């Protein structure tokens, strides 16, 4: 049976997902939805037979879709998940789930009343190196972890506005918070300090902080610090999460995993494409009803969202915030 997939959003990441779907056997991109017919038709033209729409309702009324990919900016989710849940249509939604926690939590309540298969684009979980890291950590006592997402400011306008993206920690560094939860367990409390140093003077209309550091207390008793910045001048940057245990250092980044203990260092390069693995796990669930290969579903991602939103609250109040 061929699966018919719809894609909402017509930007960079819709194309990434759409192209993977188009290359997957037994799947077709049947419909695309954008903020204008022009944008929707332009994306649809990449995929043979796909039709463009300028509203989700029109797309769902017209096409019999087996699943929908939601690849819209954080502030643009309004009503989309609710409509898909009401119609019983599985969806893969890109991270972050929104700019706050209340909206996603309401959607979670809807899902509890009327479950559909969901997957969230926390793709680091699908890296083989992340699984290796998780397995090793299960046999060790984590002392602490240090993470960093040090980069430059993405070019899209919505990212720069606090109400558009939620800021770097909610929009981008969320990947590291989610990986921390995946391999080291739940976060109970956060304390954050954010600042505005450079970027708002370089560009008009920037309201997101451009530096931040967040201390996280885990249920296990371990402590983590995850810092981020978007002040760097392009072409230079670093992203990674390192764990310090009684056995040594486990240093993970998206391309490489390094284990250092007793003067011996073992390095694994990791070139597998986690987006393909993520999509195959989701499609398997849609086809068979077996969701066990999905490593981040909506309910799990709401917990990551709770941590990143608590960090924002802490940065504003100057107080640490406990996560319920
Ligand atoms: N998992 C990852 O590695 C990864 C990487 C990049 C982006 N993303 C996520 O994907 C999402 C989209 O990012 P992007 O880079 O494609 O952004 P983008 O700015 O390139 O594209 C966003 C698209 O959404 C459209 N849009 C906005 N509001 C809409 C609405 N109400 N209905 C339909 N379309 C609407 C815009 O017109 C635009 O085409 C973001 O949440 C981002 O965080 C995830």
């Amino acid at each position: 049976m061929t699966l018919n997939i719809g894609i909402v959003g017509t930007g960079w990441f819709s194309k990434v997902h759409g192209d993977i779907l188009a290359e997957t056997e037994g799947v077709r991109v049947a419909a695309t939805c954008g903020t204008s017919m022009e944008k929707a038709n332009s994306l649809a033209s990449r995929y043979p037979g796909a039709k463009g729409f300028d509203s989700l309702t029109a797309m769902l009324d017209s096409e019999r879709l087996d699943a929908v990919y939601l690849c819209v900016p954080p502030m643009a989710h309004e009503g989309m998940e609710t409509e898909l849940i009401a119609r019983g249509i599985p969806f893969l939604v890109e991270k972050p789930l929104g700019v706050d926690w209340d909206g996603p939590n309401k959607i979670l309540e809807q899902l509890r009343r009327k479950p559909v298969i969901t997957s969230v684009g926390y793709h680091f979980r699908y890296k083989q190196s992340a699984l290796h890291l998780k397995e090793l950590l299960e046999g060790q006592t984590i002392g602490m972890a240090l993470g960093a997402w040090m980069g430059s400011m993405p070019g899209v306008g919505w990212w720069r506005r606090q109400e558009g993206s939620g800021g770097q920690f909610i929009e981008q560094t969320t990947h590291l918070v989610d990986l921390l939860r995946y391999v080291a367990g739940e976060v109970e409390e956060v304390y954050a300090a954010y600042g505005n140093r450079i970027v708002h003077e370089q560009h008009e209309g920037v309201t997101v902080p451009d530096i931040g550091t967040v201390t996280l207390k885990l249920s296990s008793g371990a402590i983590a610090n995850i810092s981020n910045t978007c002040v760097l001048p392009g072409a230079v940057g670093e992203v990674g999460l390192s764990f310090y245990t009684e056995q040594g250092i486990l240093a993970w980044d998206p391309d490489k995993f390094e284990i250092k203990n007793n003067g011996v260092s073992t390095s694994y390069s990791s070139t597998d494409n986690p987006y393909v693995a993520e999509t195959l796990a989701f499609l398997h669930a849609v086809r068979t009803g077996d969701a066990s290969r999905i490593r981040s579903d909506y309910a799990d991602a709401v917990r990551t969202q709770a941590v990143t939103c608590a960090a924002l609250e802490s940065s504003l109040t100057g107080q640490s915030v406990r996560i319920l």
Side-chain angles (χ1 to χ4, degrees):
M1 181 189 81
T2 299
L3 295 178
N4 289 310
I5 312 292
I7 299 178
V8 184
T10 54
W12 173 45
F13 232 60
S14 293
K15 290 193 188 72
V16 172
H17 280 304
D19 291 359
I20 290 171
L21 288 165
E23 283 171 17
T24 305
E25 221 181 294
V27 179
R28 64 183 272 270
V29 177
T32 61
C33 171
T35 46
S36 71
M37 283 306 292
E38 195 189 345
K39 283 169 142 187
N41 285 335
S42 164
L43 181 63
S45 69
R46 289 173 79 87
Y47 310 115
K51 281 167 70 177
F53 297 88
D54 61 3
S55 94
L56 177 63
T57 304
M59 179 171 93
L60 299 178
D61 283 348
S62 163
E63 304 297 304
R64 273 179 60 93
L65 298 175
D66 296 297
V68 167
Y69 278 53
L70 294 176
C71 310
V72 295
M75 77 298 179
H77 286 255
E78 193 67 49
M80 289 179 183
E81 288 87 348
T82 301
E83 183 155 4
L84 291 166
I85 294 164
R87 294 179 189 241
I89 298 176
F91 60 89
L92 183 151
V93 55
E94 263 309 333
K95 45 50 66 180
L97 298 178
V99 291
D100 60 12
W101 178 78
D102 287 353
N105 196 44
K106 285 197 182 101
I107 292 165
L108 182 57
E109 283 164 18
Q110 294 163 18
L111 277 168
R112 289 200 170 119
R113 286 196 294 274
K114 190 166 187 298
V116 301
I117 289 164
T118 60
S119 173
V120 181
Y122 283 111
H123 66 284
F124 284 166
R125 291 188 180 214
Y126 293 87
K127 291 286 292 184
Q128 279 161 22
S129 59
L131 217 54
H132 190 182
L133 171 66
K134 183 173 167 62
E135 282 164 9
L136 288 176
L137 285 176
E138 274 159 14
Q140 304 184 23
T141 303
I142 300 168
M144 63 182 300
L146 286 180
W149 194 298
M150 306 310 203
S152 54
M153 197 168 62
V156 286
W158 55 263
W159 202 94
R160 300 162 183 214
R161 289 181 292 107
Q162 187 60 37
E163 70 280 13
S165 66
Q168 185 175 12
F169 203 76
I170 286 177
E171 210 286 331
Q172 200 169 50
T173 315
T174 186
H175 280 299
L176 294 180
V177 173
D178 187 71
L179 182 63
L180 177 75
R181 287 189 51 246
Y182 186 52
V183 300
E186 294 300 342
V187 175
E188 284 189 347
E189 190 175 350
V190 295
Y191 172 77
Y194 292 175
N196 251 312
R197 295 285 295 162
I198 297 168
V199 170
H200 67 288
E201 287 181 354
Q202 294 174 330
H203 304 275
E204 292 263 312
V206 176
T207 54
V208 292
D210 60 8
I211 51 168
T213 187
V214 181
T215 298
L216 307 99
K217 289 190 192 169
L218 279 70
S219 306
S220 66
I223 305 284
N225 177 275
I226 300 181
S227 295
N228 61 200
T229 186
C230 56
V231 303
L232 297 178
V236 56
E238 54 192 33
V239 173
L241 186 61
S242 292
F243 292 85
Y244 302 83
T245 83
E246 85 281 19
Q247 294 182 30
I249 301 174
L250 303 170
W252 183 93
D253 76 39
D255 303 317
K256 185 167 78 347
F257 178 37
E258 210 173 353
I259 304 167
K260 303 173 205 175
N261 50 20
N262 292 331
V264 182
S265 172
T266 318
S267 188
Y268 303 87
S269 75
S270 75
T271 53
D272 55 317
N273 184 334
Y275 301 114
V276 172
E278 177 185 82
T279 265
L280 292 179
F282 176 62
L283 296 177
H284 173 79
V286 172
R287 218 182 268 286
T288 65
D290 167 19
S292 62
R293 297 181 190 175
I294 293 173
R295 298 197 187 148
S296 168
D297 64 10
Y298 202 92
D300 196 294
V302 166
R303 293 200 64 83
T304 293
Q305 186 79 3
V307 178
T308 57
C309 291
L312 176 63
E313 183 186 337
S314 172
S315 77
L316 296 171
T317 61
Q319 305 295 314
S320 70
V321 176
R322 287 192 66 81
I323 291 139
L324 302 174

